[in-house]
Amino acid sequence: QRLNGKSWCGKKVYAVVLSPPNQAWDALVIYDIKANQIAQEFAAKEPERAAKDFGPFGFKSLIMGTKLHDLTVQYELVKEDQISAVKEVAFKKGDWRTVGFYPLSQLSAEFFKDRLYRINLGFEEKHKEMYAAFENRFGPLQENDSWTRGTTKLKAKAGIRDKIFGTILAPQNYLGKENEWDFIVLVDTDIWREAEQFKKDAPKRAAKDF
């Protein structure tokens, strides 16, 4: 809601009195101008600091290639496909489910033959900041039109660094708004290629039963 305000600015202090539309003044804000500037400059660099959570080998303590039984954080097995030899686990507890100070609404990982090769991060707020953190780690980013959510095509931008392929996704009706990005996928390129080949070879393995 927009507020009405009247302000005053001195050499060191800024003050503003506020009120809702057509109502009496009910709030007063006073702050040190220099300290507020320093705070804003610090906050503006948070995406750069948050990008460090996208480490050179994964995300925080989730290191690509880690064996499932070696995970040091609590997880739940949510899906297992024996044909593709892929297991997916979800992390539903723990205050580490953030990128910097930006909260995640979803965090899961996928394992091929019990080796971590894909990390999925969903988020519902701080979209602009999350994009900036992702771009800081994987930029320059390129357009990618190969992603879908179910049968729905997605808007995607991707980049690769240190054998980690990163993609940030937005709904198909993305209109260039920074607050529409909502999902990040990180993939170990070497293990991913191996997993894809294993999936393609499934009919050959099945044929041996005849």
Side-chain angles (χ1 to χ4, degrees):
Q1 183 184 32
R2 294 185 63 85
L3 301 175
N4 295 323
K6 290 187 177 181
S7 62
W8 173 85
C9 185
K11 292 182 179 181
K12 294 184 178 182
V13 176
Y14 178 89
V16 58
V17 62
L18 303 166
S19 74
N22 303 315
Q23 296 185 34
W25 304 106
D26 64 359
L28 176 64
V29 177
I30 303 173
Y31 61 78
D32 181 284
I33 295 173
K34 183 62 176 178
N36 182 68
Q37 179 182 351
I38 293 173
Q40 289 182 337
E41 291 173 352
F42 182 84
K45 292 183 179 181
E46 177 56 26
E48 182 179 341
R49 293 188 294 272
K52 295 178 181 179
D53 283 346
F54 299 116
F57 307 109
F59 173 71
K60 292 189 174 179
S61 63
L62 299 176
I63 306 302
M64 295 299 187
T66 298
K67 293 287 188 177
L68 179 57
H69 63 262
D70 288 334
L71 285 183
T72 58
V73 291
Q74 187 175 358
Y75 65 87
E76 296 180 18
L77 180 64
V78 295
K79 186 185 301 183
E80 181 174 4
D81 187 337
Q82 295 182 350
I83 295 176
S84 63
V86 171
K87 296 177 182 177
E88 181 176 359
V89 303
F91 307 96
K92 299 181 179 180
K93 297 181 180 180
D95 56 8
W96 66 283
R97 299 181 309 133
T98 64
V99 177
F101 289 108
Y102 310 137
L104 294 171
S105 59
Q106 177 184 343
L107 176 59
S108 66
E110 298 179 34
F111 294 75
F112 169 65
K113 293 186 176 180
D114 285 341
R115 291 176 295 158
L116 175 60
Y117 82 103
R118 172 170 167 163
I119 302 170
N120 309 301
L121 306 94
F123 50 97
E124 298 176 350
E125 53 185 285
K126 299 296 182 181
H127 306 268
K128 177 181 177 181
E129 293 83 355
M130 196 74 81
Y131 178 87
F134 178 82
E135 185 177 37
N136 186 279
R137 170 66 174 86
F138 290 100
L141 303 177
Q142 304 295 324
E143 298 283 347
N144 188 313
D145 62 357
S146 64
W147 289 81
T148 61
R149 185 172 292 163
T151 58
T152 303
K153 288 187 65 65
L154 299 176
K155 173 75 174 182
K157 288 190 177 182
I160 184 169
R161 290 235 185 130
D162 308 309
K163 294 186 178 181
I164 303 295
F165 184 75
T167 305
I168 188 165
L169 304 166
Q172 184 184 31
N173 60 355
Y174 172 78
L175 299 175
K177 297 179 181 179
E178 295 174 320
N179 64 348
E180 292 186 346
W181 302 102
D182 64 3
F183 207 83
I184 291 171
V185 176
L186 309 177
V187 175
D188 180 294
T189 55
D190 290 342
I191 303 178
W192 175 80
R193 291 190 186 97
E194 186 180 343
E196 288 297 298
Q197 187 61 51
F198 186 84
K199 187 188 301 183
K200 291 178 181 178
D201 291 342
K204 295 180 181 179
R205 293 191 299 274
K208 294 178 180 180
D209 288 343
F210 298 104

